[in-house]
Amino acid sequence: MDRSAEFRRWKAQYLSKVDLSRKGSLDEDIVELVQVLNQQEEFFTTSSCSGRIVLLDGGINGFEVQKQNCCWLLVTHKPCVKEDVIAALKKVNGDAILKFEPFVLHVQCQQLQDAQILAVRSTHGLEVPLSHKGKPMVTEEYIDFVLNIANQKMEENKKRIERFYSCLQHALERETTTNSHPKVKNTSLYTHKKKRNPEKAQGKCIKEKNGKELENDDDDDDPGLSSTIFPEDYSI
Amino acid sequence: MDRSAEFRRWKAQYLSKVDLSRKGSLDEDIVELVQVLNQQEEFFTTSSCSGRIVLLDGGINGFEVQKQNCCWLLVTHKPCVKEDVIAALKKVNGDAILKFEPFVLHVQCQQLQDAQILAVRSTHGLEVPLSHKGKPMVTEEYIDFVLNIANQKMEENKKRIERFYSCLQHALERETTTNSHPKVKNTSLYTHKKKRNPEKAQGKCIKEKNGKELENDDDDDDPGLSSTIFPEDYSI
């Protein structure tokens, strides 16, 4: 079987599987985007999340949350009210953490040169410990304050999904027009960032990591997302 | 000029530049690692940070920190004591955020197949708002609590750097032995993760994102880092 046929077989097998996520379905805000990607011969998505606010009970071991041990007290893909967090916190026995986790998308691709959109992550996050061994460490006022920030990030995240979707559609249209495989240079979903200063130097310590260097760009058309390749996802 | 010569010229030019980071030098914990990478013909580093605890004054616009506006109240690449944070907080006029930012490394590579180590990011972070418009939003006890977590993350981060460095050295040794370019399959610094469950399904919402899916792996030799390609860093 040639590589192209093998990829098609693999994709068909993958997409026919039952969705084993806790939620069991695609997040509403990215259904279209995921479908558009999966309609492309050379891509398929393996995991995605539109972005969410999560309250975790990290257990008695504190913040080294083990996937298998941690308990989700609250998960929402929409803005969240303080009362929900305060009610959920009452169930905490261990160390609770409030997190905002932005849009993430993992995409398999047939060829390495398509890998520029193999995975997309925005790093516009928030991770705030709220309680320790069941005891609240912050006030209700603080929870309200932090939740406002998380909700703002959720709104901003939604705009970024829209921008990314729009850029993706343009890139795919260009590809159809030229009827060739995307090249790294001409179908990039990202724009080079105009640097205020020539900051590229050996070993420089990046200012404003965790997405800020992507967020605060001069380019209005910068979707503010980084592209990630996970070696374990390689399809070649 | 052929591509290989062009890459060498570009690398030489890059590494001869003055380090324009705020700190102006490589972080102590990754000096050797960066030097080893830069000794390789096919790689050079463009930015790095060994991991740090940062206290930022996000200004009056709240948490949409603008790189050009934000003020660093405290930066340390070593564990940090509560007193330093409390003293620094007294200088805050806007919204202060305490962050732990893990090891990050951006690497240029000559060929796309080497791109598996083009950039390395660990997502073991923390981002905690502490004050609003200059007013503290948390207690000293909470600052102490959060700082303990940040310091634990700093320790864990250091172990990860060591593991990554060790894996890198092994990969480079293997490359020297075979005297050929690394292939995606055989020089991966990462191991495939053994899944407890067949979780790969279309559109699954990833459990424990932000590095947790990498941290809590069954494989002891998983360095717990993800590899990132930033399109703007493409050298081809």
Side-chain angles (χ1 to χ4, degrees):
Chain A
M1 205 184 323
D2 68 15
R3 179 179 285 179
S4 165
E6 197 180 348
F7 185 81
R8 277 199 303 277
R9 188 186 55 76
W10 186 33
K11 175 174 176 173
Q13 196 178 32
Y14 214 104
L15 297 187
S16 67
K17 277 187 194 166
V18 175
D19 186 333
L20 293 169
S21 65
R22 293 195 194 198
K23 187 161 163 259
S25 63
L26 280 175
D27 296 337
E28 191 187 322
D29 285 342
I30 50 170
V31 169
E32 260 184 69
L33 196 163
V34 168
Q35 284 173 347
V36 163
L37 267 174
N38 287 328
Q39 279 158 13
Q40 310 306 312
E41 233 175 63
E42 64 271 39
F43 300 117
F44 69 93
T45 60
T46 56
S47 68
S48 62
C49 178
S50 67
R52 60 188 182 183
I53 295 169
V54 186
L55 185 69
L56 295 170
D57 187 347
I60 50 163
N61 294 321
F63 292 89
E64 286 303 313
V65 181
Q66 296 293 311
K67 201 192 287 185
Q68 61 275 25
N69 296 335
C70 90
C71 170
W72 288 13
L73 300 160
L74 188 146
V75 184
T76 173
H77 296 80
K78 302 281 170 199
C80 178
V81 294
K82 180 181 72 169
E83 288 69 26
D84 290 346
V85 174
I86 289 167
L89 270 178
K90 291 188 176 140
K91 294 174 252 166
V92 175
N93 298 313
D95 291 5
I97 313 157
L98 183 77
K99 289 168 89 170
F100 171 70
E101 300 180 331
F103 168 46
V104 64
L105 184 63
H106 288 196
V107 187
Q108 291 284 3
C109 65
Q110 194 176 345
Q111 298 196 37
L112 191 54
Q113 66 260 42
D114 297 333
Q116 57 179 325
I117 63 163
L118 190 68
V120 172
R121 282 196 172 201
S122 166
T123 50
H124 189 69
L126 193 72
E127 185 165 347
V128 185
L130 295 183
S131 67
H132 182 46
K133 295 180 180 171
K135 179 193 157 207
M137 298 296 290
V138 295
T139 60
E140 289 198 8
E141 190 194 7
Y142 180 76
I143 293 171
D144 195 35
F145 170 58
V146 170
L147 215 50
N148 272 332
I149 296 168
N151 287 339
Q152 278 169 32
K153 284 182 188 270
M154 185 71 97
E155 284 303 311
E156 177 57 31
N157 179 67
K158 201 171 171 181
K159 285 183 200 156
R160 287 177 187 203
I161 291 174
E162 284 160 13
R163 275 185 290 175
F164 176 72
Y165 185 35
S166 163
C167 290
L168 175 70
Q169 286 178 307
H170 283 111
L172 293 173
E173 275 165 27
R174 276 202 302 277
E175 194 197 348
T176 311
T177 311
T178 58
N179 196 27
S180 68
H181 260 298
K183 300 292 181 296
V184 169
K185 294 282 181 193
N186 68 11
T187 66
S188 173
L189 298 179
Y190 309 92
T191 51
H192 282 248
K193 286 179 289 173
K194 284 178 284 188
K195 297 279 183 191
R196 272 172 215 279
N197 304 306
E199 284 181 346
K200 288 198 168 186
Q202 184 196 12
K204 85 173 176 69
C205 210
I206 297 158
K207 293 172 193 169
E208 288 306 302
K209 215 173 57 267
N210 289 340
K212 291 300 188 295
E213 83 262 42
L214 297 164
E215 289 165 28
N216 301 307
D217 203 79
D218 294 340
D219 280 339
D220 289 330
D221 53 350
D222 180 351
L225 293 161
S226 70
S227 171
T228 312
I229 287 196
F230 296 90
E232 64 268 36
D233 285 343
Y234 270 117
S235 59
I236 53 169
Chain B
M1 205 184 323
D2 68 15
R3 182 180 283 179
S4 167
E6 196 180 349
F7 185 81
R8 279 198 301 278
R9 188 187 55 77
W10 186 33
K11 176 175 177 174
Q13 195 179 35
Y14 215 103
L15 297 187
S16 67
K17 276 187 196 166
V18 174
D19 186 331
L20 292 169
S21 66
R22 292 196 194 197
K23 185 161 165 261
S25 64
L26 279 174
D27 297 338
E28 193 185 321
D29 286 340
I30 51 169
V31 169
E32 260 185 70
L33 196 163
V34 168
Q35 284 172 347
V36 163
L37 267 175
N38 286 328
Q39 278 157 13
Q40 310 305 311
E41 233 175 62
E42 65 270 40
F43 299 118
F44 68 92
T45 60
T46 55
S47 68
S48 62
C49 178
S50 67
R52 60 187 181 184
I53 294 168
V54 186
L55 185 69
L56 295 170
D57 187 347
I60 49 164
N61 293 322
F63 290 89
E64 285 302 315
V65 181
Q66 296 295 306
K67 200 194 285 186
Q68 60 277 21
N69 295 335
C70 90
C71 170
W72 287 11
L73 300 160
L74 188 146
V75 185
T76 172
H77 295 80
K78 303 280 171 199
C80 179
V81 294
K82 179 181 73 170
E83 289 68 27
D84 290 347
V85 173
I86 290 168
L89 270 178
K90 291 187 177 141
K91 294 175 253 167
V92 175
N93 299 313
D95 290 7
I97 314 157
L98 183 77
K99 290 169 86 171
F100 171 70
E101 299 180 332
F103 169 46
V104 64
L105 183 63
H106 289 196
V107 187
Q108 291 284 1
C109 64
Q110 195 175 346
Q111 297 196 37
L112 191 53
Q113 66 259 43
D114 297 331
Q116 56 180 325
I117 61 164
L118 190 69
V120 172
R121 283 195 170 201
S122 166
T123 48
H124 189 67
L126 191 73
E127 186 164 346
V128 185
L130 296 183
S131 68
H132 182 46
K133 294 181 180 171
K135 180 194 158 205
M137 297 297 291
V138 294
T139 60
E140 288 198 9
E141 189 195 8
Y142 181 76
I143 292 171
D144 195 35
F145 169 59
V146 170
L147 215 49
N148 273 332
I149 297 168
N151 287 339
Q152 279 170 32
K153 284 180 187 273
M154 184 71 96
E155 284 304 311
E156 175 58 30
N157 179 66
K158 203 173 168 176
K159 285 184 200 154
R160 287 177 187 204
I161 291 174
E162 284 158 14
R163 274 186 289 174
F164 175 71
Y165 185 34
S166 164
C167 291
L168 176 69
Q169 285 177 309
H170 283 112
L172 293 173
E173 274 164 28
R174 277 202 301 277
E175 192 198 350
T176 311
T177 311
T178 57
N179 196 26
S180 67
H181 259 297
K183 300 291 182 296
V184 168
K185 294 280 182 196
N186 67 9
T187 65
S188 175
L189 298 179
Y190 309 91
T191 52
H192 282 248
K193 288 181 288 172
K194 282 178 286 189
K195 296 282 183 191
R196 272 173 215 279
N197 304 306
E199 284 182 346
K200 289 198 166 185
Q202 182 196 13
K204 86 172 175 69
C205 211
I206 297 158
K207 294 172 192 169
E208 286 308 299
K209 215 173 56 271
N210 290 338
K212 292 298 188 297
E213 82 263 42
L214 297 165
E215 289 164 30
N216 301 307
D217 202 79
D218 293 341
D219 282 338
D220 290 330
D221 53 350
D222 180 349
L225 293 161
S226 70
S227 171
T228 312
I229 288 197
F230 295 91
E232 64 268 34
D233 285 343
Y234 270 117
S235 58
I236 53 169

